[in-house]
Amino acid sequence: MGTLKVECVVKEQNEIGEGPVWEEKDATLLYVDIYGPKISRWNSLTNQIESMHTETYVGCVVPRRSGGYVIGEGTRFAAVDWEKRAITTIANVDTEKSNTRFNDGKVDPAGRFFAGTMAVEVRPAELERKQGSLYSLHPDHSVVTHFDQVDLSNGLDWSTDHRFFYYVDSLTYMVEAFDYDIHTGGLANRRMVYRLEKDEGIPDGMCIDAEGKIWLACYDGGRVVRIDPQTGTRLQTVKLPVAKITSCCFGGKDYTDLYVTSAYKGMDEESLAKQPQAGCIFKVTGLGVKGIPPYSFSG
């Protein structure tokens, strides 16, 4: 393990930076600002940021195998043509509700796009309960509803052997696991993996490393924690200079860098003065572990 180093790399502040994805071919970090609302790409080689505004709250963005991206925006899955700056609807969800939006999402190893919804917040983490659901968009553009009664659908990822699906409904303050059927995308046998301690804040986005351990962003906790999902124990804590940590992903050369997004929404002037980097994106090096490349939507 090298010397741990935390560096602010994307200095353009996001109200709620979220859903980072490393794009290996361009050495860029793809992410969203939910309330921007916009999708951005930060080039790690040139330090340039390219952004594209969306029509409404954008919860997540993923690469698409055929080119461009797919987003969970408002209550629709939509295709993004980055070159033409065009967005087209693929499928709508939550059609009987008027107050929900997509939040975090990720592509499974078979190319399905999983993303969940939540009620639109009154204030950060203050919202109508049990309004959300977890969905998956399949390559044929059909949508499967996995379960509803979700408060705040958030971080998600799969075990390295694809047998387990890990999931966060933030207001339960825990990480859960399901048995996963990679052939059908089906979930079964829901159970708790890890419950956050009081000072760790609210569980937010997450990612998996090559050793199968979970890296969990702790909103209002100012940290990312590494968890062993087999034993439910916390293995490591990485503190960051801002409190509202939203998500993380591995990237960089050989996927040895951890990129961490953050938010400033809901902070007053006094808090912002104490945390001038709130809403920026950080790079953590020297962790001694690698991540795995992200999957692309195959539809």
Side-chain angles (χ1 to χ4, degrees):
M1 185 181 283
T3 310
L4 197 71
K5 183 181 167 194
V6 177
E7 181 187 357
C8 179
V9 288
V10 181
K11 296 176 173 64
E12 183 180 277
Q13 290 168 289
N14 299 284
E15 271 195 79
I16 303 183
E18 257 288 3
V21 183
W22 183 254
E23 296 185 283
E24 196 173 339
K25 67 181 191 306
D26 300 322
T28 51
L29 188 72
L30 176 72
Y31 58 95
V32 300
D33 180 351
I34 296 176
Y35 280 79
K38 62 183 177 181
I39 311 159
S40 295
R41 299 178 73 214
W42 169 72
N43 186 310
S44 65
L45 307 176
T46 64
N47 202 31
Q48 297 300 112
I49 300 169
E50 277 188 279
S51 295
M52 172 181 169
H53 280 273
T54 57
E55 289 171 29
T56 183
Y57 306 128
V58 56
C60 48
V61 57
V62 295
R64 190 177 190 178
R65 209 172 288 169
S66 59
Y69 305 107
V70 182
I71 53 175
E73 181 211 26
T75 53
R76 67 174 176 165
F77 285 108
V80 175
D81 184 322
W82 188 261
E83 306 309 319
K84 293 180 180 168
R85 296 292 193 269
I87 299 173
T88 49
T89 301
I90 295 174
N92 292 293
V93 303
D94 283 3
T95 47
E96 75 293 351
K97 293 176 179 170
S98 61
N99 68 328
T100 59
R101 67 164 176 85
F102 266 117
N103 200 40
D104 210 349
K106 195 167 280 182
V107 178
D108 86 340
R112 306 175 189 97
F113 182 17
F114 276 69
T117 57
M118 57 181 276
V120 174
E121 295 166 295
V122 186
R123 279 176 289 280
E126 276 186 50
L127 47 97
E128 192 180 343
R129 308 288 289 256
K130 308 292 178 202
Q131 296 302 301
S133 302
L134 180 70
Y135 297 101
S136 57
L137 175 69
H138 290 232
D140 66 358
H141 294 184
S142 63
V143 174
V144 171
T145 308
H146 293 278
F147 48 83
D148 57 8
Q149 297 292 301
V150 172
D151 285 328
L152 203 170
S153 192
N154 226 320
L156 61 170
D157 214 332
W158 290 264
S159 61
T160 48
D161 62 7
H162 312 157
R163 288 173 52 221
F164 306 112
F165 171 66
Y166 303 118
Y167 178 70
V168 166
D169 178 353
S170 290
L171 301 189
T172 65
Y173 291 88
M174 61 185 180
V175 178
E176 294 177 288
F178 295 78
D179 295 340
Y180 192 65
D181 186 331
I182 189 68
H183 304 294
T184 64
L187 309 176
N189 189 21
R190 188 174 191 168
R191 58 208 179 267
M192 184 181 83
V193 164
Y194 181 79
R195 184 179 291 282
L196 273 79
E197 292 174 17
K198 216 163 185 66
D199 67 334
E200 289 178 338
I202 302 169
D204 207 318
M206 68 159 96
C207 66
I208 289 283
D209 66 27
E211 294 169 16
K213 306 298 189 278
I214 293 170
W215 290 83
L216 177 69
C218 299
Y219 187 85
D220 280 344
R223 68 195 71 184
V224 176
V225 294
R226 187 184 192 218
I227 297 159
D228 184 337
Q230 257 50 62
T231 61
T233 51
R234 183 183 65 229
L235 304 172
Q236 191 175 351
T237 299
V238 177
K239 296 272 183 83
L240 290 117
V242 298
K244 296 186 184 299
I245 301 301
T246 53
S247 193
C248 54
C249 79
F250 281 93
K253 188 171 162 49
D254 298 330
Y255 291 88
T256 54
D257 303 331
L258 186 71
Y259 286 95
V260 183
T261 53
S262 70
Y264 69 82
K265 188 170 178 62
M267 292 174 69
D268 57 24
E269 281 180 32
E270 189 185 352
S271 306
L272 284 165
K274 288 178 186 162
Q275 297 177 33
Q277 295 174 321
C280 296
I281 300 177
F282 301 86
K283 179 172 80 169
V284 184
T285 51
L287 287 168
V289 295
K290 291 181 179 183
I292 50 178
Y295 302 103
S296 297
F297 177 64
S298 63

